[in-house]
Amino acid sequence: MSISVGSILLGSVDPDRLREWYRAALAPWHTGSGFIHFGGLDLLIDGRDDVAAVNSEPGRVVINFHVDDARAIAAHLDTVGVTWLVPLEERPNGLFATFTDPDGNVLQIIQLTEQYRAYLESVPRSH
């Protein structure tokens, strides 16, 4: 049996606003209202009437965006006016920054070092 995570659904009381924010902040190529494709994972923003306007437990799920130029992405996110929880910082395994979307969901941009990526690729994965 094979199982993989193919998509994440973000529920919002204002999906059009949130989708436009994601498009401006992280997905300038996206048009329309369907899935936003981020490499091997798709993000769907959908209207829900069973969620609050702002996430009351934003740390419960953190969406990590692996990028190849964290400094450029962070500079772009500044132009969009994101709220930084942790500004871009260098850590032993790469560059990391944590911010929120307009609904209060926590997101990160991560640029791993070449050494750490090589290490991760060498670690056996259980199936």
Side-chain angles (χ1 to χ4, degrees), residues 35-85:
F35 286 96
I36 303 172
H37 305 290
F38 291 102
L41 188 71
D42 293 335
L43 178 65
L44 179 63
I45 299 169
D46 198 16
R48 305 276 305 210
D49 60 8
D50 60 345
V51 298
V54 176
N55 187 346
S56 65
E57 294 184 303
R60 184 173 291 267
V61 174
V62 177
I63 301 174
N64 295 323
F65 293 90
H66 289 240
V67 301
D68 57 8
D69 189 346
R71 287 183 175 87
I73 299 290
H76 170 70
L77 291 170
D78 281 335
T79 69
V80 176
V82 303
T83 299
W84 293 105
L85 300 177

Side-chain angles (χ1 to χ4, degrees), residues 112-123:
L112 297 175
T113 64
E114 291 293 327
Q115 297 83 3
Y116 192 63
R117 283 201 322 237
Y119 163 74
L120 291 175
E121 290 174 8
S122 72
V123 175

